Amino acid sequence: MSLETRLRSVGKEARRTQAAPVGDPVLDTHEKTIFEKLIGTQAFWVTMALLIICVVMSIREPVFATEDNFFNITRNFAFIGVMALGMTPVIITGGIDLSVGSVMGLVAIVCGLVLLKQPIPWMPDWWNDATWTHSWWMALALGLLAGVIVGLINGVLIAYVGLPPFVVTLGMLSIARAVAVVLSGNRMLYDFRPDQAPKFKIIGGGQNLGLDQLFGADFPFRLSNPFLILVVLTITLGIVLRMTGWGRHIFAIGGNEQAANLTGVPVKRVKVQAYVICSLSAALAAILSVGWSGSANNSLGQSYELLAIASAVIGGANLMGGEGGAYAAFIGSALIFVIRNSLLMAGVDSNWQGLFVGSFIILAVVLERIRGKRRE
Amino acid sequence: MAVLELQGISKHFGAIQALIDVDVGLERGEVLGLMGDNGAGKSTLVKVIAGNFPPNGGEIRIDGEVAHFHRPVEAREKGIEVVYQDLALCNNLTAAANVFLGREIKRSIGPIRWLNHGAMYKRAGELFGELKSETRPRHLVRQMSGGQRQAVAIARTRLSNAKIVLMDEPTAAISVRQVAEVLDLIRRLRDSGIAVVLISHRMPDVFAVCDRVVVLRRGRKVADKAIKASSPEEVTGLITGAIHVA
Ligand SMILES: Nc1ncnc2c1ncn2[C@@H]1O[C@H](COP(=O)(O)OP(=O)(O)OP(=O)(O)O)[C@@H](O)[C@H]1O
Ligand SMILES: [Mg+2]
């Protein structure tokens, strides 16, 4: 017997003895109630923390609880929230996507170039002359397409070629940003076509999804489109993860990829889809962001990958895979932004924020470890 | 006609020869015991049959037709079900989710399809009941005992009408009472015409349910006899190499 064989058998024996119980264990007949399950989740405690911070801030800073501040915070966290939602399936499969911030920059530039007044020197004349190639829907379509392409490249390299997600998406972080800088000629794009740009800007800059205008009614509340889109996407992802075969497979891959493969889960295809969805969510965040700010900058989204990952993890996603949820991503990003907002109001230098975000990620992972230990 | 016929199967992992020129035939309603020391190649043989990796040489025939499996699902579609030695379970999912992994029960309205959790919990509960296991469909596999995990892996093979069931040490981690249940299940499978391959290190189990025993030693088949024509002593000798060939 070779040494390797021997080692393998020793490992097997160890596993076998570990798994062997003496008879049936006394069964735990106690099914957990919904409330017990709820307080066992990280998302629940993050929600509590968020509420407490909001209450404290409302008492200390009168501006905090104003409608305007609420409108702004919910809009600002929506961009990261959307990305955190997209990141969630990837994290659940045990992967990671570091390229989402750069995808935002790339997609912003693609949208900006389509909407730009001036002709693009390196595009053919027919493209520059036509009007449909500069329409708001073309900007939307090409922006999303750019996201899909990046996601496909990431996904195929990871799932089919078998490269580690960390390496592939780190490379893509650099590539997508470089392409954005080159395409934009390293300029900020803001000189948009007056007939098309407003229609594009309303997507990210508008409010109440335009429903109040549609019905000619006065809504008692005012919520930004990005935030409402975030809410809709959170609900959608929540349903998809819980109620579809795809969602089940995402969790299975994160739990035991080998087992998922053996039982007939199309592991590679599902992984590619997860990376495409992740990139697509970054593209959407970029489109919303360009609409809101009215300009396209190739530096958009720099270091946002960290915020998106932190949001998902703080809400309870497990970086080792197998755990995570839509509401977790939502509430995680909300907590980060409320803390940011609170620090700003309290007069803390904004340069300190990175320290808080970083500490939060580490804290979230430590909490996960502790929960994991308790389960064993 | 044999449901499963292996001819000259070889498999190597780099320099390790895991299987060398193995021939095995299996009839309907036959229970074959596959024995051998650690590292003899038993699991490798099961994985070759189940489509986990193609053999380097040789031919697999199912009902007389040559089969080339590239993925485990293809073998399953041909009626081959497997209980893997490491059980192949996802710890973060419930027992029921694991049983139905890759073939979830769904409801649909038009093109929209969603999981039918209720039906899966119910069916998984019935399957565990048949196995006389106390496994609960809603419990996470992470929190389960070795025996309960094994029940989940075995319950999986009962979802479809399999022709061949391969069990890689299905009784390794379970209690005496549950071993009896698994052996009973194997007899029931046999009576309904299913062919079973049972890998086990437990001599009494093999002699209790198997019709035939095949012994592998260092990747080679060293014995293939009717159980009635053999004895535990002989098989032990064959496994260890004290007896060379039978
Ligand atoms: N995926 C693999 N890669 C490399 N070598 C492998 C692999 N799978 C099995 N082997 C080697 O092939 C040989 C046969 O292993 P196999 O798992 O089939 O043994 P086994 O008879 O099932 O043993 P056990 O009783 O311990 O389960 C061993 O030498 C093992 O190290
Ligand atoms: Mg084995």
Side-chain angles (χ1 to χ4, degrees):
Chain A
M1 211 167 21
S2 72
L3 180 63
E4 195 188 338
T5 321
R6 227 173 281 208
L7 287 177
R8 276 176 60 90
S9 348
V10 169
K12 277 180 195 160
E13 282 310 320
R15 252 187 285 138
R16 210 172 282 151
T17 39
Q18 193 183 21
V22 185
D24 273 345
V26 181
L27 282 161
D28 177 16
T29 48
H30 172 81
E31 293 275 348
K32 281 188 179 162
T33 63
I34 291 181
F35 180 71
E36 279 173 309
K37 271 188 192 154
L38 192 67
I39 62 169
T41 66
Q42 189 157 324
F44 173 82
W45 294 108
V46 172
T47 310
M48 288 296 130
L50 185 67
L51 290 177
I52 291 168
I53 294 173
C54 287
V55 169
V56 172
M57 283 304 289
S58 312
I59 296 168
R60 292 188 45 146
E61 308 274 343
V63 252
F64 183 83
T66 58
E67 199 193 326
D68 277 344
N69 195 41
F70 185 73
F71 184 88
N72 287 334
I73 297 187
T74 51
R75 183 200 52 218
N76 289 347
F77 97 74
F79 304 124
I80 298 296
V82 167
M83 289 164 84
L85 282 182
M87 186 69 71
T88 295
V90 165
I91 291 183
I92 297 174
T93 63
I96 197 152
D97 190 343
L98 300 172
S99 68
V100 286
S102 299
V103 169
M104 273 189 93
L106 175 64
V107 170
I109 292 304
V110 168
C111 295
L113 285 174
V114 173
L115 296 171
L116 209 59
K117 241 196 254 164
Q118 295 84 16
I120 307 164
W122 40 268
M123 285 302 270
D125 285 343
W126 67 264
W127 175 275
N128 285 328
D129 293 343
T131 46
W132 64 272
T133 52
H134 302 280
S135 57
W136 67 272
W137 54 264
M138 196 66 188
L140 185 67
L142 285 185
L144 294 175
L145 182 68
V148 170
I149 290 170
V150 173
L152 272 178
I153 296 173
N154 282 341
V156 167
L157 288 177
I158 291 162
Y160 287 90
V161 184
L163 302 177
F166 186 87
V167 176
V168 170
T169 60
L170 187 63
M172 189 54 81
L173 175 149
S174 175
I175 293 169
R177 183 69 66 194
V179 173
V181 172
V182 171
L183 286 184
S184 67
N186 208 8
R187 287 175 304 129
M188 183 165 170
L189 311 177
Y190 54 87
D191 203 5
F192 295 154
R193 295 179 176 236
D195 57 325
Q196 296 296 327
K199 289 178 190 154
F200 184 84
K201 286 182 190 168
I202 202 81
I203 305 171
Q207 60 188 41
N208 292 349
L209 296 177
L211 291 175
D212 35 7
Q213 272 145 334
L214 192 68
F215 295 113
D218 238 357
F219 276 34
F221 57 86
R222 205 163 68 85
L223 290 169
S224 64
N225 284 351
F227 179 67
L228 291 170
I229 289 172
L230 172 66
V231 171
V232 171
L233 290 180
T234 304
I235 295 168
T236 309
L237 182 67
I239 293 171
V240 166
L241 285 180
R242 218 193 116 52
M243 296 303 294
T244 68
W246 188 82
R248 168 83 27 108
H249 294 165
I250 286 280
F251 280 97
I253 292 170
N256 186 343
E257 186 171 333
Q258 188 63 28
N261 191 33
L262 291 178
T263 48
V265 172
V267 172
K268 291 177 180 167
R269 198 176 72 211
V270 171
K271 273 186 162 181
V272 171
Q273 287 162 344
Y275 284 92
V276 169
I277 287 172
C278 187
S279 271
L280 202 51
S281 74
L284 180 61
I287 288 164
L288 294 173
S289 185
V290 170
W292 165 63
S293 67
S295 61
N297 197 331
N298 60 36
S299 70
L300 179 69
Q302 230 151 27
S303 85
Y304 277 22
E305 58 280 341
L306 193 64
L307 290 175
I309 294 165
S311 299
V313 171
I314 288 168
N318 186 344
L319 279 175
M320 305 302 288
E323 271 176 85
Y327 179 69
F330 177 93
I331 204 70
S333 52
L335 184 70
I336 288 186
F337 273 81
V338 166
I339 289 179
R340 261 167 85 130
N341 188 272
S342 309
L343 292 174
L344 279 177
M345 284 191 170
V348 177
D349 186 341
S350 63
N351 292 321
W352 282 104
Q353 285 174 10
L355 185 138
F356 283 94
V357 173
S359 315
F360 260 71
I361 297 185
I362 296 174
L363 183 70
V365 173
V366 169
L367 284 179
E368 163 54 34
R369 274 288 153 79
I370 296 170
R371 279 190 297 150
K373 283 253 169 59
R374 213 184 294 154
R375 270 196 306 254
E376 311 265 285
Chain B
M1 188 178 39
V3 272
L4 176 71
E5 234 181 313
L6 304 180
Q7 247 169 27
I9 296 289
S10 298
K11 177 75 200 172
H12 59 80
F13 301 101
I16 301 174
Q17 278 289 347
L19 293 172
I20 305 159
D21 201 18
V22 176
D23 299 331
V24 179
L26 191 61
E27 301 290 328
R28 286 193 67 208
E30 187 180 30
V31 183
L32 175 71
L34 185 56
M35 302 199 77
D37 206 350
N38 292 132
K42 306 180 296 294
S43 297
T44 305
L45 190 64
V46 162
K47 287 182 178 168
V48 165
I49 301 170
N52 291 26
F53 29 63
N56 297 112
E59 223 171 50
I60 303 172
R61 288 214 190 94
I62 312 283
D63 283 332
E65 267 177 59
V66 178
H68 297 281
F69 301 135
H70 300 286
R71 287 181 305 137
V73 206
E74 293 170 16
R76 192 164 80 194
E77 279 159 5
K78 290 274 181 199
I80 299 175
E81 290 285 341
V82 194
V83 179
Y84 290 100
Q85 186 168 9
D86 58 10
L87 303 180
L89 300 178
C90 295
N91 279 331
N92 59 333
L93 299 181
T94 61
N98 269 286
V99 170
F100 285 94
L101 197 56
R103 42 187 160 174
E104 292 81 7
I105 302 181
K106 289 178 188 158
R107 280 178 201 275
S108 62
I109 298 180
I112 306 170
R113 290 149 64 76
W114 69 96
L115 298 178
N116 187 343
H117 293 287
M120 287 192 277
Y121 284 137
K122 185 160 168 286
R123 184 82 187 100
E126 288 165 8
L127 290 171
F128 297 144
E130 277 173 30
L131 294 170
K132 305 269 190 314
S133 164
E134 307 285 358
T135 312
R136 284 158 179 264
R138 286 168 197 271
H139 277 193
L140 290 180
V141 165
R142 176 163 45 220
Q143 297 154 345
M144 289 185 176
S145 72
Q148 291 170 329
R149 283 166 201 246
Q150 213 125 36
V152 174
I154 294 173
R156 243 181 215 169
T157 65
R158 306 297 304 131
L159 284 183
S160 63
N161 286 320
K163 272 192 284 200
I164 303 164
V165 176
L166 310 170
M167 297 189 171
D168 197 349
E169 306 200 28
T171 53
I174 58 184
S175 66
V176 179
R177 188 171 62 87
Q178 280 176 324
V179 168
E181 291 302 334
V182 171
L183 297 183
D184 251 3
L185 170 72
I186 292 173
R187 290 190 192 99
R188 286 205 301 272
L189 294 175
R190 177 197 63 198
D191 292 344
S192 59
I194 296 169
V196 180
V197 176
L198 171 67
I199 295 180
S200 179
H201 288 288
R202 296 162 51 101
M203 209 61 77
D205 296 357
V206 171
F207 276 78
V209 292
C210 295
D211 305 308
R212 212 147 55 85
V213 59
V214 162
V215 179
L216 290 181
R217 190 164 67 233
R218 295 186 185 181
R220 279 180 207 281
K221 186 171 91 169
V222 291
D224 187 343
K225 347 178 39 164
I227 211 89
K228 290 201 183 79
S230 187
S231 66
E233 293 72 28
E234 185 190 24
V235 173
T236 308
L238 285 162
I239 291 170
T240 56
I243 306 174
H244 280 293
V245 266

